Amino acid sequence: MKISEVSEQSGLSVDTLRYYEKVGLLPPITRTNGGIREYTEADIKRIDFIKCMRTAGLPVDVLTEYFALVEQGDETIEARKEILQTQRTRLVAMIAELQDTLALLNSKIEGYEDALLQAEQELTDSY
Amino acid sequence: MKISEVSEQSGLSVDTLRYYEKVGLLPPITRTNGGIREYTEADIKRIDFIKCMRTAGLPVDVLTEYFALVEQGDETIEARKEILQTQRTRLVAMIAELQDTLALLNSKIEGYEDALLQAEQELTDSY
DNA sequence: TTAACACCTGGAGTTAACTCCAAGTCAAGG
DNA sequence: CCTTGACTTGGAGTTAACTCCAGGTGTTAA
């Protein structure tokens, strides 16, 4: 798969894909004779995982560290697990916070609905 | 309340508080004769609201626009409601995404737990 | 009244994560 | 073969949201 196709499919820009490779978030992608990147299925899967974690606010350098550990093989399983657990804790806290914010937003919106309703009422009353 | 106390209480740095004022996220804070900021209860409440929305990823300029509308009085209620509704939609989508990511993270962690268990098993087997 | 410390300003610097650019190479159709 | 369009690189530029700094002023306790 060529870079433009991967970009299309993943929603990440070609610049971002090359940037991810530069900072070690993606492995060195294999090339055709002419030097053009050819993404494998495994690369695509990794990109999906990265995308998911990035939208959850997991920083690029944490992910880079994680993949570096993956490269190092089975001895790093414990360390990798810890990284993921730390991020899980962060995520759980974040979801809770977002839900609080959502509740606040809902009550604000409701407040505005009441205000609008009342304004309308007053308009009607003036007849 | 002085800026350092507000900082302490809100968890925002004094620099951030001054920055928020500069970009119009906070109104011009009233000053003592000497020119030192004296935050009112209303300011504190607004800071709490801002903090909540910022941690939910609501951009500073959207919030600035929102408060500018608040200044303009009742005619802008409809517009303000729309801003909040847009953000609510964004938030709901975000929470859903985070929950998906959390599920993925959980299954990855479980995978590592199995791997560790198996490694231990093999260690025991070797006796 | 002076030391020490918190506060002020305007403006420069930082960080993360891209995003863009110039100048060049590769691939495919006519 | 030549053009057109996608690909390459290294490196510079951008954006949001702070964060820091220098040089100065206000405040308070000994």
Side-chain angles (χ1 to χ4, degrees):
Chain A
M1 220 176 178
K2 274 189 281 183
I3 198 165
S4 60
E5 298 169 300
V6 177
S7 169
E8 174 90 7
Q9 199 235 21
S10 68
L12 299 174
S13 75
V14 296
D15 276 319
T16 298
L17 289 169
R18 285 194 281 247
Y19 164 73
Y20 280 177
E21 189 177 339
K22 185 152 64 180
V23 298
L25 202 45
L26 289 176
I29 305 297
T30 51
R31 309 298 183 97
T32 64
N33 277 355
I36 285 172
R37 288 175 181 80
E38 186 60 37
Y39 291 81
T40 66
E41 267 317 298
D43 293 331
I44 307 292
K45 283 211 180 111
R46 179 144 157 185
I47 287 164
D48 285 345
F49 178 65
I50 291 167
K51 233 192 96 187
C52 193
M53 293 301 145
R54 285 292 301 122
T55 62
L58 212 144
V60 165
D61 55 2
V62 171
L63 278 170
T64 302
E65 190 197 339
Y66 175 79
F67 288 122
L69 289 173
V70 172
E71 295 300 301
Q72 286 169 48
D74 283 359
E75 286 111 82
T76 65
I77 285 182
E78 187 67 43
R80 282 185 254 161
K81 196 182 123 190
E82 259 161 48
I83 288 178
L84 297 189
Q85 278 174 332
T86 301
Q87 296 306 321
R88 173 169 62 183
T89 303
R90 204 182 52 75
L91 209 53
V92 167
M94 197 170 168
I95 288 172
E97 240 176 344
L98 290 190
Q99 270 159 350
D100 286 354
T101 302
L102 184 57
L104 176 57
L105 218 42
N106 277 331
S107 81
K108 280 254 172 197
I109 289 168
E110 213 171 299
Y112 281 131
E113 266 155 12
D114 292 351
L116 286 169
L117 213 68
Q118 194 161 350
E120 204 176 311
Q121 196 63 47
E122 274 160 28
L123 217 66
T124 313
D125 287 354
S126 69
Y127 284 108
Chain B
M1 219 174 178
K2 273 189 281 183
I3 198 165
S4 60
E5 298 170 300
V6 177
S7 168
E8 174 90 6
Q9 199 235 21
S10 67
L12 298 175
S13 75
V14 295
D15 276 320
T16 298
L17 289 168
R18 286 194 281 247
Y19 165 72
Y20 279 178
E21 190 177 339
K22 186 154 63 181
V23 299
L25 202 45
L26 289 176
I29 305 297
T30 50
R31 309 297 184 98
T32 64
N33 277 356
I36 285 173
R37 288 175 180 80
E38 187 60 37
Y39 291 81
T40 66
E41 268 316 300
D43 292 331
I44 307 292
K45 284 211 180 110
R46 178 143 157 185
I47 288 163
D48 285 344
F49 178 65
I50 290 166
K51 234 192 95 187
C52 193
M53 293 300 146
R54 286 291 302 122
T55 62
L58 212 144
V60 165
D61 56 1
V62 172
L63 278 170
T64 302
E65 190 197 340
Y66 175 79
F67 287 122
L69 289 174
V70 172
E71 295 300 301
Q72 287 168 46
D74 284 0
E75 285 112 81
T76 64
I77 286 183
E78 187 67 44
R80 281 184 255 162
K81 196 182 124 191
E82 260 162 46
I83 289 178
L84 297 189
Q85 278 173 333
T86 301
Q87 296 305 322
R88 173 168 63 183
T89 303
R90 204 183 51 76
L91 209 53
V92 167
M94 198 169 166
I95 289 172
E97 239 176 345
L98 289 190
Q99 270 159 351
D100 286 354
T101 302
L102 184 57
L104 176 56
L105 216 42
N106 277 331
S107 82
K108 279 255 173 196
I109 289 168
E110 212 171 299
Y112 281 132
E113 266 155 14
D114 292 352
L116 286 168
L117 213 68
Q118 194 161 351
E120 204 176 311
Q121 197 63 46
E122 274 159 26
L123 218 64
T124 312
D125 288 354
S126 69
Y127 283 108

